[in-house]
Amino acid sequence: MNALEVRGLVKHYPGVTALDGVDLAVRPNEVLGLAGENGAGKSTLLKALVGLVTPDAGTIHVRGEQVKLRSVVDAANHGIGMVFQEQSLVPNLTAAENIVLGSEGPAVRRGIYRWDVMRRLAQEQLDKIGSPIDPLARTDSLSFADRQMVEIAKVLRIEERSQHPPVVILDEPTSVLESKEIETLFAQIRRLREFATVIFVSHRLDEVLDVCDRVCVLRGGKSVGEVAAAGAVPRELHRMMIGSTGSDDHYHGSAATTVVEEQPRLSVRGLSGASFHDISFDVAPGEIVGIVGVHGSGREDVCRALFGAEPTTAGEIRMDGTRIDLPSTRAACAAGIGYVPAERKTEGMVGALSVAENMTLAKQQARCAGPFVAPKKQATLVDSWIRRLSIRTPGRDTPIQRLSGGNQQKVILARWLVAGDIRLLLLDHPTRGLDVGVRSEVYRLMRELAATGVATVLLGDSLEEAVGMADRILVMNDGRVATEVPCPTGAKPTPLDLVKEMV
Ligand SMILES: Nc1ncnc2c1ncn2[C@@H]1O[C@H](COP(=O)(O)OP(=O)(O)OP(=O)(O)O)[C@@H](O)[C@H]1O
Ligand SMILES: [Mg+2]
């Protein structure tokens, strides 16, 4: 008997059919992957399985019995729980409080916490996943990866509500993790399989094939096929996702950079801040420089400092020879620096504003008090980027919060491309959450921009991406530039070469 079965599930939103008759069967103790382009309906389907989305038609069966899931609690009572893409933990509470929150039971008596009970309950959950996290640690003192472990521990409490093996849903859990943390999570998922069923979503197809037993593919809200993971290759999945054959060279070769002896576009000298020290490097016009490093290497902070969004204690930054004020995002904007932050949810987007407004924010900022853009011209510009990045949205006036995660990312990315007069682009994980096809389009845009002389600093989502795109790679370690690796076309280092330098 299937652990879960979905038949003909339909969900309409104004102007969009998110689910268009999805069928899905999940077997007990399997790790099922769900793949599909941005906006294919993956998150909507999963939300329907935890009672957050009410389908317009179709049925859900749990272990053979038809159910109506009206809320998260309802779903939990049937043994289904989800680890959310945007973490749902309360930052100023301890791990233990977060784990028992919402189902305190004996941990609270007459409104008062019984810390010993709570600690024990939490420890039991953490033990299930073999996690060494201290239950009394404050959640905001934990790393992102550890917080995710706390979320998994919390979700496993559904075991106490239902006598059946739990179904644990993970929607893009790896998109913000570093490779080491991903390994830990995968070890965890393999462990979970011993006593639970897992549904896993990721845009990194090699990863999906690595951790899953079977992968189902959604396209335009419909189930379009499945593959057994063993022996399958990412290209097969991609072909199903888009319904045709995609190109294999995602990185579009390399920029034909003939680095001439000219003034660097960006010149950084002796830059220091809280988490980085004495950083010096140049980026030539048209050059793409990758910065790699493990979590905590300081590379994200350097990137933010270049945009004037992180305090510095020493050093200077020059754009085309002119020193810019630090720290000042205004000065950075005025100097033609564009920044795509990794945390686009918190740093990048204004949820209630429309796609068009979110896309043109930078244009207004960059020009500071510059010329007013005629609304009609602006609309044409926005529409052209919606097409170019195949942003799935009913229209340019739709609030951005109604878009799928990946499509929101595309809008924020487009913001800097729309801005036009950019001379240096700082890209912090620009392809996070994007499907393979869009990722490839973003790489092509990066090459195009480089060809027009835009300098780029890239913090890649993976080492492969850094090697594939960069002309030169800086390896950061403990807040310092440990080494510089040239990365010319035809003589690219392997990701493994880089790993050796990173530790
Ligand atoms: N609350 C909502 N209101 C309106 N439209 C929505 C809402 N949630 C999702 N949609 C639309 O439904 C479609 C499917 O979205 P969903 O989030 O399920 O995609 P996804 O496969 O998870 O994509 P991604 O890989 O980008 O996360 C999208 O076109 C999206 O814009
Ligand atoms: Mg999604």
Side-chain angles (χ1 to χ4, degrees), residues 79 81-83 99 124-130 149-162 165-168 188 192 195-198:
M82 175 149 155
V83 176
I99 289 171
E124 278 169 16
Q125 297 308 120
L126 289 165
D127 287 347
K128 280 186 193 169
I129 57 169
M149 292 302 146
V150 174
E151 290 247 16
I152 295 175
K154 178 183 169 84
V155 161
L156 288 175
R157 289 209 73 199
I158 56 179
E159 274 193 298
E160 276 128 60
R161 291 170 168 268
S162 146
V167 177
V168 177
Q188 208 53 259
L192 278 176
F195 64 95
T197 301
V198 179

PDB file of all heavy atoms in Angstrom, residues 79 81-83 99 124-130 149-162 165-168 188 192 195-198:
ATOM      1  N   GLY A  79       0.389  11.950  10.241  1.00  0.00           N
ATOM      2  CA  GLY A  79       1.802  11.589  10.146  1.00  0.00           C
ATOM      3  C   GLY A  79       2.566  12.280   9.042  1.00  0.00           C
ATOM      4  O   GLY A  79       3.628  11.825   8.624  1.00  0.00           O
ATOM      5  N   GLY A  81       4.517  15.746   7.798  1.00  0.00           N
ATOM      6  CA  GLY A  81       5.082  17.014   8.271  1.00  0.00           C
ATOM      7  C   GLY A  81       6.054  17.575   7.261  1.00  0.00           C
ATOM      8  O   GLY A  81       6.634  16.856   6.459  1.00  0.00           O
ATOM      9  N   MET A  82       6.226  18.895   7.317  1.00  0.00           N
ATOM     10  CA  MET A  82       7.076  19.548   6.321  1.00  0.00           C
ATOM     11  C   MET A  82       8.132  20.424   6.978  1.00  0.00           C
ATOM     12  O   MET A  82       7.855  21.134   7.934  1.00  0.00           O
ATOM     13  CB  MET A  82       6.175  20.394   5.424  1.00  0.00           C
ATOM     14  CG  MET A  82       6.873  21.233   4.418  1.00  0.00           C
ATOM     15  SD  MET A  82       5.782  21.384   2.973  1.00  0.00           S
ATOM     16  CE  MET A  82       6.325  22.894   2.257  1.00  0.00           C
ATOM     17  N   VAL A  83       9.345  20.350   6.442  1.00  0.00           N
ATOM     18  CA  VAL A  83      10.412  21.255   6.834  1.00  0.00           C
ATOM     19  C   VAL A  83      10.354  22.408   5.844  1.00  0.00           C
ATOM     20  O   VAL A  83      10.509  22.207   4.652  1.00  0.00           O
ATOM     21  CB  VAL A  83      11.783  20.547   6.760  1.00  0.00           C
ATOM     22  CG1 VAL A  83      12.904  21.524   7.064  1.00  0.00           C
ATOM     23  CG2 VAL A  83      11.824  19.371   7.728  1.00  0.00           C
ATOM     24  N   ILE A  99      11.439  22.948  19.401  1.00  0.00           N
ATOM     25  CA  ILE A  99      11.062  21.578  19.053  1.00  0.00           C
ATOM     26  C   ILE A  99       9.702  21.212  19.649  1.00  0.00           C
ATOM     27  O   ILE A  99       8.877  20.575  19.001  1.00  0.00           O
ATOM     28  CB  ILE A  99      12.162  20.585  19.511  1.00  0.00           C
ATOM     29  CG1 ILE A  99      13.389  20.763  18.605  1.00  0.00           C
ATOM     30  CG2 ILE A  99      11.673  19.145  19.466  1.00  0.00           C
ATOM     31  CD1 ILE A  99      14.626  20.012  19.057  1.00  0.00           C
ATOM     32  N   GLU A 124      15.119  13.673  23.048  1.00  0.00           N
ATOM     33  CA  GLU A 124      14.623  12.457  22.375  1.00  0.00           C
ATOM     34  C   GLU A 124      14.520  12.680  20.873  1.00  0.00           C
ATOM     35  O   GLU A 124      14.887  11.824  20.073  1.00  0.00           O
ATOM     36  CB  GLU A 124      13.232  12.080  22.902  1.00  0.00           C
ATOM     37  CG  GLU A 124      13.265  11.310  24.215  1.00  0.00           C
ATOM     38  CD  GLU A 124      11.873  11.190  24.832  1.00  0.00           C
ATOM     39  OE1 GLU A 124      10.873  11.419  24.108  1.00  0.00           O
ATOM     40  OE2 GLU A 124      11.800  10.882  26.034  1.00  0.00           O
ATOM     41  N   GLN A 125      13.992  13.855  20.510  1.00  0.00           N
ATOM     42  CA  GLN A 125      13.839  14.151  19.081  1.00  0.00           C
ATOM     43  C   GLN A 125      15.208  14.273  18.410  1.00  0.00           C
ATOM     44  O   GLN A 125      15.422  13.751  17.324  1.00  0.00           O
ATOM     45  CB  GLN A 125      13.063  15.460  18.873  1.00  0.00           C
ATOM     46  CG  GLN A 125      11.657  15.448  19.387  1.00  0.00           C
ATOM     47  CD  GLN A 125      10.857  14.267  18.885  1.00  0.00           C
ATOM     48  OE1 GLN A 125      10.378  13.466  19.674  1.00  0.00           O
ATOM     49  NE2 GLN A 125      10.736  14.142  17.581  1.00  0.00           N
ATOM     50  N   LEU A 126      16.116  14.990  19.074  1.00  0.00           N
ATOM     51  CA  LEU A 126      17.445  15.189  18.492  1.00  0.00           C
ATOM     52  C   LEU A 126      18.181  13.854  18.371  1.00  0.00           C
ATOM     53  O   LEU A 126      18.929  13.625  17.415  1.00  0.00           O
ATOM     54  CB  LEU A 126      18.251  16.190  19.324  1.00  0.00           C
ATOM     55  CG  LEU A 126      17.766  17.641  19.223  1.00  0.00           C
ATOM     56  CD1 LEU A 126      18.363  18.493  20.342  1.00  0.00           C
ATOM     57  CD2 LEU A 126      18.119  18.250  17.865  1.00  0.00           C
ATOM     58  N   ASP A 127      17.940  12.964  19.334  1.00  0.00           N
ATOM     59  CA  ASP A 127      18.585  11.647  19.290  1.00  0.00           C
ATOM     60  C   ASP A 127      18.126  10.842  18.078  1.00  0.00           C
ATOM     61  O   ASP A 127      18.887  10.066  17.513  1.00  0.00           O
ATOM     62  CB  ASP A 127      18.287  10.856  20.570  1.00  0.00           C
ATOM     63  CG  ASP A 127      19.068  11.402  21.761  1.00  0.00           C
ATOM     64  OD1 ASP A 127      19.992  12.209  21.522  1.00  0.00           O
ATOM     65  OD2 ASP A 127      18.744  11.040  22.908  1.00  0.00           O
ATOM     66  N   LYS A 128      16.862  11.048  17.699  1.00  0.00           N
ATOM     67  CA  LYS A 128      16.336  10.309  16.547  1.00  0.00           C
ATOM     68  C   LYS A 128      17.181  10.552  15.310  1.00  0.00           C
ATOM     69  O   LYS A 128      17.312   9.699  14.456  1.00  0.00           O
ATOM     70  CB  LYS A 128      14.903  10.784  16.231  1.00  0.00           C
ATOM     71  CG  LYS A 128      13.840  10.206  17.110  1.00  0.00           C
ATOM     72  CD  LYS A 128      12.488  10.647  16.586  1.00  0.00           C
ATOM     73  CE  LYS A 128      11.406  10.363  17.611  1.00  0.00           C
ATOM     74  NZ  LYS A 128      10.140  11.013  17.252  1.00  0.00           N
ATOM     75  N   ILE A 129      17.695  11.783  15.213  1.00  0.00           N
ATOM     76  CA  ILE A 129      18.497  12.088  14.034  1.00  0.00           C
ATOM     77  C   ILE A 129      19.987  12.134  14.390  1.00  0.00           C
ATOM     78  O   ILE A 129      20.812  12.567  13.600  1.00  0.00           O
ATOM     79  CB  ILE A 129      18.058  13.413  13.363  1.00  0.00           C
ATOM     80  CG1 ILE A 129      18.140  14.573  14.352  1.00  0.00           C
ATOM     81  CG2 ILE A 129      16.641  13.301  12.814  1.00  0.00           C
ATOM     82  CD1 ILE A 129      17.974  15.932  13.683  1.00  0.00           C
ATOM     83  N   GLY A 130      20.311  11.685  15.609  1.00  0.00           N
ATOM     84  CA  GLY A 130      21.715  11.614  16.014  1.00  0.00           C
ATOM     85  C   GLY A 130      22.402  12.955  16.016  1.00  0.00           C
ATOM     86  O   GLY A 130      23.584  13.054  15.704  1.00  0.00           O
ATOM     87  N   MET A 149      18.514  21.120  11.204  1.00  0.00           N
ATOM     88  CA  MET A 149      18.436  19.872  11.958  1.00  0.00           C
ATOM     89  C   MET A 149      17.361  19.990  13.046  1.00  0.00           C
ATOM     90  O   MET A 149      16.621  19.051  13.305  1.00  0.00           O
ATOM     91  CB  MET A 149      19.789  19.544  12.613  1.00  0.00           C
ATOM     92  CG  MET A 149      20.867  19.184  11.619  1.00  0.00           C
ATOM     93  SD  MET A 149      20.394  17.761  10.596  1.00  0.00           S
ATOM     94  CE  MET A 149      21.166  18.179   9.062  1.00  0.00           C
ATOM     95  N   VAL A 150      17.309  21.167  13.686  1.00  0.00           N
ATOM     96  CA  VAL A 150      16.283  21.387  14.710  1.00  0.00           C
ATOM     97  C   VAL A 150      14.891  21.270  14.078  1.00  0.00           C
ATOM     98  O   VAL A 150      13.980  20.665  14.649  1.00  0.00           O
ATOM     99  CB  VAL A 150      16.457  22.767  15.395  1.00  0.00           C
ATOM    100  CG1 VAL A 150      15.307  23.061  16.347  1.00  0.00           C
ATOM    101  CG2 VAL A 150      17.783  22.822  16.144  1.00  0.00           C
ATOM    102  N   GLU A 151      14.743  21.827  12.870  1.00  0.00           N
ATOM    103  CA  GLU A 151      13.456  21.733  12.165  1.00  0.00           C
ATOM    104  C   GLU A 151      13.078  20.279  11.903  1.00  0.00           C
ATOM    105  O   GLU A 151      11.924  19.888  12.045  1.00  0.00           O
ATOM    106  CB  GLU A 151      13.528  22.456  10.812  1.00  0.00           C
ATOM    107  CG  GLU A 151      13.607  23.945  10.930  1.00  0.00           C
ATOM    108  CD  GLU A 151      12.358  24.633  10.400  1.00  0.00           C
ATOM    109  OE1 GLU A 151      11.320  23.967  10.218  1.00  0.00           O
ATOM    110  OE2 GLU A 151      12.439  25.851  10.166  1.00  0.00           O
ATOM    111  N   ILE A 152      14.073  19.496  11.479  1.00  0.00           N
ATOM    112  CA  ILE A 152      13.782  18.091  11.191  1.00  0.00           C
ATOM    113  C   ILE A 152      13.385  17.382  12.483  1.00  0.00           C
ATOM    114  O   ILE A 152      12.416  16.630  12.530  1.00  0.00           O
ATOM    115  CB  ILE A 152      14.983  17.409  10.506  1.00  0.00           C
ATOM    116  CG1 ILE A 152      15.220  18.049   9.132  1.00  0.00           C
ATOM    117  CG2 ILE A 152      14.749  15.910  10.357  1.00  0.00           C
ATOM    118  CD1 ILE A 152      16.444  17.555   8.405  1.00  0.00           C
ATOM    119  N   ALA A 153      14.143  17.659  13.562  1.00  0.00           N
ATOM    120  CA  ALA A 153      13.831  17.055  14.858  1.00  0.00           C
ATOM    121  C   ALA A 153      12.404  17.417  15.274  1.00  0.00           C
ATOM    122  O   ALA A 153      11.640  16.591  15.765  1.00  0.00           O
ATOM    123  CB  ALA A 153      14.831  17.533  15.908  1.00  0.00           C
ATOM    124  N   LYS A 154      12.052  18.685  15.029  1.00  0.00           N
ATOM    125  CA  LYS A 154      10.712  19.170  15.395  1.00  0.00           C
ATOM    126  C   LYS A 154       9.637  18.436  14.583  1.00  0.00           C
ATOM    127  O   LYS A 154       8.644  17.966  15.129  1.00  0.00           O
ATOM    128  CB  LYS A 154      10.650  20.673  15.124  1.00  0.00           C
ATOM    129  CG  LYS A 154       9.315  21.327  15.415  1.00  0.00           C
ATOM    130  CD  LYS A 154       9.399  22.814  15.016  1.00  0.00           C
ATOM    131  CE  LYS A 154       8.029  23.461  15.027  1.00  0.00           C
ATOM    132  NZ  LYS A 154       7.651  23.918  16.363  1.00  0.00           N
ATOM    133  N   VAL A 155       9.883  18.325  13.297  1.00  0.00           N
ATOM    134  CA  VAL A 155       8.899  17.677  12.432  1.00  0.00           C
ATOM    135  C   VAL A 155       8.676  16.223  12.848  1.00  0.00           C
ATOM    136  O   VAL A 155       7.563  15.706  12.784  1.00  0.00           O
ATOM    137  CB  VAL A 155       9.344  17.777  10.943  1.00  0.00           C
ATOM    138  CG1 VAL A 155       8.633  16.748  10.098  1.00  0.00           C
ATOM    139  CG2 VAL A 155       9.050  19.173  10.411  1.00  0.00           C
ATOM    140  N   LEU A 156       9.734  15.582  13.339  1.00  0.00           N
ATOM    141  CA  LEU A 156       9.601  14.165  13.701  1.00  0.00           C
ATOM    142  C   LEU A 156       8.694  13.938  14.905  1.00  0.00           C
ATOM    143  O   LEU A 156       8.345  12.811  15.223  1.00  0.00           O
ATOM    144  CB  LEU A 156      10.977  13.543  13.927  1.00  0.00           C
ATOM    145  CG  LEU A 156      11.760  13.341  12.628  1.00  0.00           C
ATOM    146  CD1 LEU A 156      13.159  12.841  12.925  1.00  0.00           C
ATOM    147  CD2 LEU A 156      11.039  12.365  11.703  1.00  0.00           C
ATOM    148  N   ARG A 157       8.290  15.006  15.562  1.00  0.00           N
ATOM    149  CA  ARG A 157       7.324  14.832  16.656  1.00  0.00           C
ATOM    150  C   ARG A 157       5.987  14.308  16.139  1.00  0.00           C
ATOM    151  O   ARG A 157       5.174  13.826  16.910  1.00  0.00           O
ATOM    152  CB  ARG A 157       7.117  16.149  17.420  1.00  0.00           C
ATOM    153  CG  ARG A 157       8.330  16.522  18.239  1.00  0.00           C
ATOM    154  CD  ARG A 157       7.958  17.307  19.452  1.00  0.00           C
ATOM    155  NE  ARG A 157       7.333  16.488  20.480  1.00  0.00           N
ATOM    156  CZ  ARG A 157       6.601  16.984  21.452  1.00  0.00           C
ATOM    157  NH1 ARG A 157       6.396  18.269  21.528  1.00  0.00           N
ATOM    158  NH2 ARG A 157       6.079  16.186  22.363  1.00  0.00           N
ATOM    159  N   ILE A 158       5.767  14.430  14.833  1.00  0.00           N
ATOM    160  CA  ILE A 158       4.515  13.882  14.286  1.00  0.00           C
ATOM    161  C   ILE A 158       4.419  12.386  14.554  1.00  0.00           C
ATOM    162  O   ILE A 158       3.335  11.837  14.566  1.00  0.00           O
ATOM    163  CB  ILE A 158       4.360  14.132  12.760  1.00  0.00           C
ATOM    164  CG1 ILE A 158       5.559  13.571  12.005  1.00  0.00           C
ATOM    165  CG2 ILE A 158       4.123  15.585  12.455  1.00  0.00           C
ATOM    166  CD1 ILE A 158       5.468  13.755  10.500  1.00  0.00           C
ATOM    167  N   GLU A 159       5.555  11.750  14.807  1.00  0.00           N
ATOM    168  CA  GLU A 159       5.523  10.314  15.132  1.00  0.00           C
ATOM    169  C   GLU A 159       4.649  10.025  16.334  1.00  0.00           C
ATOM    170  O   GLU A 159       4.057   8.961  16.448  1.00  0.00           O
ATOM    171  CB  GLU A 159       6.936   9.817  15.438  1.00  0.00           C
ATOM    172  CG  GLU A 159       7.679   9.419  14.207  1.00  0.00           C
ATOM    173  CD  GLU A 159       8.925   8.653  14.578  1.00  0.00           C
ATOM    174  OE1 GLU A 159       9.781   9.229  15.259  1.00  0.00           O
ATOM    175  OE2 GLU A 159       9.017   7.493  14.194  1.00  0.00           O
ATOM    176  N   GLU A 160       4.615  11.005  17.263  1.00  0.00           N
ATOM    177  CA  GLU A 160       3.832  10.772  18.475  1.00  0.00           C
ATOM    178  C   GLU A 160       2.333  10.947  18.250  1.00  0.00           C
ATOM    179  O   GLU A 160       1.520  10.544  19.054  1.00  0.00           O
ATOM    180  CB  GLU A 160       4.296  11.714  19.582  1.00  0.00           C
ATOM    181  CG  GLU A 160       5.491  11.153  20.307  1.00  0.00           C
ATOM    182  CD  GLU A 160       6.638  12.127  20.375  1.00  0.00           C
ATOM    183  OE1 GLU A 160       6.451  13.206  20.938  1.00  0.00           O
ATOM    184  OE2 GLU A 160       7.722  11.791  19.851  1.00  0.00           O
ATOM    185  N   ARG A 161       1.997  11.608  17.153  1.00  0.00           N
ATOM    186  CA  ARG A 161       0.583  11.873  16.887  1.00  0.00           C
ATOM    187  C   ARG A 161      -0.058  10.768  16.075  1.00  0.00           C
ATOM    188  O   ARG A 161      -1.267  10.653  16.012  1.00  0.00           O
ATOM    189  CB  ARG A 161       0.442  13.168  16.091  1.00  0.00           C
ATOM    190  CG  ARG A 161       0.803  14.391  16.870  1.00  0.00           C
ATOM    191  CD  ARG A 161       0.859  15.551  15.914  1.00  0.00           C
ATOM    192  NE  ARG A 161       0.927  16.802  16.627  1.00  0.00           N
ATOM    193  CZ  ARG A 161      -0.142  17.515  16.962  1.00  0.00           C
ATOM    194  NH1 ARG A 161      -1.348  17.119  16.626  1.00  0.00           N
ATOM    195  NH2 ARG A 161      -0.007  18.628  17.619  1.00  0.00           N
ATOM    196  N   SER A 162       0.755  10.029  15.370  1.00  0.00           N
ATOM    197  CA  SER A 162       0.204   9.031  14.467  1.00  0.00           C
ATOM    198  C   SER A 162       0.967   7.739  14.726  1.00  0.00           C
ATOM    199  O   SER A 162       2.160   7.765  14.976  1.00  0.00           O
ATOM    200  CB  SER A 162       0.409   9.532  13.030  1.00  0.00           C
ATOM    201  OG  SER A 162       0.646   8.464  12.172  1.00  0.00           O
ATOM    202  N   PRO A 165       4.441   5.189  10.338  1.00  0.00           N
ATOM    203  CA  PRO A 165       5.703   5.834   9.994  1.00  0.00           C
ATOM    204  C   PRO A 165       5.438   7.211   9.395  1.00  0.00           C
ATOM    205  O   PRO A 165       4.518   7.369   8.591  1.00  0.00           O
ATOM    206  CB  PRO A 165       6.313   4.910   8.938  1.00  0.00           C
ATOM    207  CG  PRO A 165       5.568   3.629   9.027  1.00  0.00           C
ATOM    208  CD  PRO A 165       4.239   3.926   9.628  1.00  0.00           C
ATOM    209  N   PRO A 166       6.202   8.219   9.786  1.00  0.00           N
ATOM    210  CA  PRO A 166       5.941   9.569   9.309  1.00  0.00           C
ATOM    211  C   PRO A 166       6.354   9.790   7.850  1.00  0.00           C
ATOM    212  O   PRO A 166       7.197   9.068   7.317  1.00  0.00           O
ATOM    213  CB  PRO A 166       6.797  10.439  10.213  1.00  0.00           C
ATOM    214  CG  PRO A 166       7.870   9.549  10.728  1.00  0.00           C
ATOM    215  CD  PRO A 166       7.311   8.160  10.756  1.00  0.00           C
ATOM    216  N   VAL A 167       5.710  10.774   7.246  1.00  0.00           N
ATOM    217  CA  VAL A 167       6.121  11.248   5.930  1.00  0.00           C
ATOM    218  C   VAL A 167       6.734  12.630   6.141  1.00  0.00           C
ATOM    219  O   VAL A 167       6.071  13.531   6.646  1.00  0.00           O
ATOM    220  CB  VAL A 167       4.919  11.370   4.965  1.00  0.00           C
ATOM    221  CG1 VAL A 167       5.372  11.939   3.621  1.00  0.00           C
ATOM    222  CG2 VAL A 167       4.225  10.020   4.786  1.00  0.00           C
ATOM    223  N   VAL A 168       8.014  12.775   5.807  1.00  0.00           N
ATOM    224  CA  VAL A 168       8.712  14.039   6.025  1.00  0.00           C
ATOM    225  C   VAL A 168       8.971  14.710   4.681  1.00  0.00           C
ATOM    226  O   VAL A 168       9.553  14.112   3.782  1.00  0.00           O
ATOM    227  CB  VAL A 168      10.049  13.813   6.766  1.00  0.00           C
ATOM    228  CG1 VAL A 168      10.791  15.131   6.930  1.00  0.00           C
ATOM    229  CG2 VAL A 168       9.800  13.159   8.109  1.00  0.00           C
ATOM    230  N   GLN A 188      21.500  12.295   6.982  1.00  0.00           N
ATOM    231  CA  GLN A 188      20.281  12.351   7.776  1.00  0.00           C
ATOM    232  C   GLN A 188      19.082  11.754   7.025  1.00  0.00           C
ATOM    233  O   GLN A 188      18.292  10.999   7.586  1.00  0.00           O
ATOM    234  CB  GLN A 188      20.004  13.833   8.060  1.00  0.00           C
ATOM    235  CG  GLN A 188      19.276  14.115   9.294  1.00  0.00           C
ATOM    236  CD  GLN A 188      19.951  13.452  10.449  1.00  0.00           C
ATOM    237  OE1 GLN A 188      19.480  12.409  10.880  1.00  0.00           O
ATOM    238  NE2 GLN A 188      21.044  14.011  10.949  1.00  0.00           N
ATOM    239  N   LEU A 192      16.680   8.694   7.917  1.00  0.00           N
ATOM    240  CA  LEU A 192      15.229   8.842   8.036  1.00  0.00           C
ATOM    241  C   LEU A 192      14.508   7.717   7.302  1.00  0.00           C
ATOM    242  O   LEU A 192      13.472   7.232   7.736  1.00  0.00           O
ATOM    243  CB  LEU A 192      14.774  10.175   7.424  1.00  0.00           C
ATOM    244  CG  LEU A 192      14.883  11.430   8.264  1.00  0.00           C
ATOM    245  CD1 LEU A 192      14.477  12.650   7.456  1.00  0.00           C
ATOM    246  CD2 LEU A 192      13.992  11.315   9.498  1.00  0.00           C
ATOM    247  N   PHE A 195      12.999   4.649   8.972  1.00  0.00           N
ATOM    248  CA  PHE A 195      11.730   4.615   9.717  1.00  0.00           C
ATOM    249  C   PHE A 195      10.693   5.582   9.161  1.00  0.00           C
ATOM    250  O   PHE A 195       9.608   5.725   9.718  1.00  0.00           O
ATOM    251  CB  PHE A 195      11.971   4.884  11.212  1.00  0.00           C
ATOM    252  CG  PHE A 195      12.519   6.243  11.525  1.00  0.00           C
ATOM    253  CD1 PHE A 195      11.666   7.280  11.877  1.00  0.00           C
ATOM    254  CD2 PHE A 195      13.885   6.498  11.471  1.00  0.00           C
ATOM    255  CE1 PHE A 195      12.164   8.536  12.171  1.00  0.00           C
ATOM    256  CE2 PHE A 195      14.393   7.755  11.759  1.00  0.00           C
ATOM    257  CZ  PHE A 195      13.531   8.773  12.113  1.00  0.00           C
ATOM    258  N   ALA A 196      11.014   6.266   8.066  1.00  0.00           N
ATOM    259  CA  ALA A 196      10.077   7.256   7.546  1.00  0.00           C
ATOM    260  C   ALA A 196      10.095   7.260   6.023  1.00  0.00           C
ATOM    261  O   ALA A 196      10.935   6.616   5.397  1.00  0.00           O
ATOM    262  CB  ALA A 196      10.448   8.646   8.060  1.00  0.00           C
ATOM    263  N   THR A 197       9.140   7.999   5.468  1.00  0.00           N
ATOM    264  CA  THR A 197       9.095   8.227   4.035  1.00  0.00           C
ATOM    265  C   THR A 197       9.483   9.682   3.825  1.00  0.00           C
ATOM    266  O   THR A 197       9.085  10.537   4.613  1.00  0.00           O
ATOM    267  CB  THR A 197       7.661   7.994   3.526  1.00  0.00           C
ATOM    268  OG1 THR A 197       7.304   6.652   3.856  1.00  0.00           O
ATOM    269  CG2 THR A 197       7.554   8.196   2.032  1.00  0.00           C
ATOM    270  N   VAL A 198      10.262   9.949   2.780  1.00  0.00           N
ATOM    271  CA  VAL A 198      10.744  11.313   2.584  1.00  0.00           C
ATOM    272  C   VAL A 198      10.383  11.806   1.188  1.00  0.00           C
ATOM    273  O   VAL A 198      10.506  11.064   0.206  1.00  0.00           O
ATOM    274  CB  VAL A 198      12.285  11.386   2.773  1.00  0.00           C
ATOM    275  CG1 VAL A 198      12.795  12.801   2.535  1.00  0.00           C
ATOM    276  CG2 VAL A 198      12.685  10.898   4.151  1.00  0.00           C
TER     277      VAL A 198
END
